[in-house]
Amino acid sequence: MWKVAMSEEVGKAVRSVVERVNQAAARRPKTLPAVPPRLVAVSKTKPPEMVVEAYRQGQRNFGENYVNELVDKASDPLILGSCPEIKWHFIGHLQKNSVNKLLGVKNLFLVETVDSVKLADKVNSSWQRIRGASTHRLKVMVQINTSGEQSKHGLPPEETVNTVKHIVSQCSALDFSGLMTIGRYGYDLTLGPNPDFQMLLSRRQEVCDSLKLPLEEVELSMGMSTDFEHAIEVGATNVRVGSIIFGNREYPNSAANTPQPSPAPSPAPSPEKSAKMIVDS
């Protein structure tokens, strides 16, 4: 019975979030690049059955924060057999000693959290070895610590251009795809646009001006369950949404949670003005 209920709730939630993504994209100013937003369903701590159900609803991009959990899920027989076109995003902090394990993941699509030149070099050399004779380049994003919080990973914003230049010029096995931020939690949109998102937008402009890249070719990964609509409205091309699709996180020793469907779309421009939700995506 639980599996039936879980299946129905995950299905409803995926459909609702997709609708909200599309509506937010329609509200974007015409001055922004017309890049359809990509929804990344963040499935950390959730069982393979939930991933499969979201996949059955048409969801293809999934995000994980921990290397070991991603390795386990990507090799799970149920997911391997049911989700042949799945695209895995790594969205957590990546240590150099875990790079080889991560890059061995089947259907790894994008590493969103490269936050130093040294890490970029390690990912580049490891991917060159793992891909062998293949010429396929691994998509990566550069993570920026836009809020300046010590608890957050990411480059200092002023190092963005030089780091991207290094990846583009020195890391031939990598495909620079864009910039990513987590940002400060709980920002009140009644105070104006989220400054972390505005910071990422300005850093993208600097990167594009410096490297002569079209804006539409540099993605922005920003926005989570509490603020993804606002993020899309100001230019996000990649949003990471977990709890309103799969339910609250289930960590060891915590009470079991069933997934909660995403609430119906609101005419308000952002869900952050409503009750606070879990903040880890």
Side-chain angles (χ1 to χ4, degrees):
M1 188 67 181
W2 178 83
K3 287 187 177 181
V4 174
M6 175 198 73
S7 175
E8 291 179 352
E9 294 299 330
V10 170
K12 289 178 184 176
V14 169
R15 292 191 296 272
S16 177
V17 172
V18 168
E19 178 62 22
R20 290 171 65 182
V21 165
N22 292 337
Q23 290 183 2
R27 293 193 294 267
R28 281 193 302 209
K30 302 304 181 184
T31 53
L32 290 172
V35 178
R38 178 193 301 111
L39 171 63
V40 178
V42 181
S43 49
K44 64 180 178 182
T45 80
K46 297 303 179 180
E49 290 84 359
M50 283 191 170
V51 173
V52 171
E53 182 53 38
Y55 185 94
R56 286 174 178 158
Q57 298 296 324
Q59 181 62 29
R60 292 295 180 266
N61 292 274
F62 292 83
E64 289 289 338
N65 288 64
Y66 305 109
V67 172
N68 287 339
E69 185 175 0
L70 175 51
V71 169
D72 289 345
K73 279 186 183 159
S75 59
D76 185 273
L78 180 61
I79 291 178
L80 285 173
S82 304
C83 310
E85 297 177 357
I86 197 168
K87 297 177 179 179
W88 290 110
H89 294 231
F90 184 72
I91 60 174
H93 179 56
L94 180 58
Q95 297 179 315
K96 289 194 286 292
N97 61 6
S98 298
V99 167
N100 288 337
K101 180 181 286 189
L102 173 65
L103 300 193
V105 166
K106 181 178 175 61
N107 291 327
L108 179 64
F109 178 71
L110 179 59
V111 178
E112 297 197 19
T113 50
V114 173
D115 61 0
S116 70
V117 165
K118 289 183 178 180
L119 180 58
D121 287 340
K122 173 62 176 177
V123 174
N124 181 64
S125 61
S126 294
W127 186 249
Q128 284 178 322
R129 184 178 66 255
I130 289 171
R131 73 178 181 176
S134 170
T135 58
H136 174 68
R137 294 190 298 160
L138 178 66
K139 291 180 178 295
V140 299
M141 287 184 172
V142 172
Q143 182 179 3
I144 312 300
N145 185 350
T146 53
S147 63
E149 297 169 277
Q150 291 187 349
S151 61
K152 298 285 192 339
H153 296 287
L155 277 174
E158 62 271 16
E159 296 180 18
T160 304
V161 171
N162 285 338
T163 302
V164 173
K165 280 184 177 178
H166 178 84
I167 292 173
V168 171
S169 64
Q170 303 297 320
C171 300
S172 60
L174 304 183
D175 178 10
F176 169 68
S177 296
L179 306 177
M180 179 266 208
T181 190
I182 295 175
R184 191 180 300 274
Y185 294 131
Y187 177 74
D188 182 359
L189 282 177
T190 62
L191 301 176
N194 187 315
D196 290 308
F197 299 166
Q198 296 301 309
M199 170 72 75
L200 205 65
L201 283 159
S202 67
R203 294 301 169 179
R204 177 176 68 173
Q205 188 65 57
E206 291 178 4
V207 165
C208 290
D209 290 345
S210 180
L211 278 71
K212 303 297 187 288
L213 298 173
L215 278 179
E216 61 270 16
E217 291 185 8
V218 179
E219 292 203 46
L220 295 178
S221 177
M222 56 190 192
M224 298 187 289
S225 283
T226 59
D227 56 11
F228 72 93
E229 287 164 303
H230 171 63
I232 291 170
E233 289 168 7
V234 299
T237 63
N238 190 88
V239 292
R240 312 176 304 271
V241 178
S243 57
I244 59 173
I245 292 177
F246 297 112
N248 294 342
R249 306 292 175 217
E250 296 175 18
Y251 296 104
N253 301 322
S254 67
N257 293 296
T258 56
Q260 299 298 314
S262 174
S266 165
S270 171
E272 286 193 80
K273 296 181 180 179
S274 59
K276 286 186 178 180
M277 302 178 70
I278 191 164
V279 296
D280 64 344
S281 73

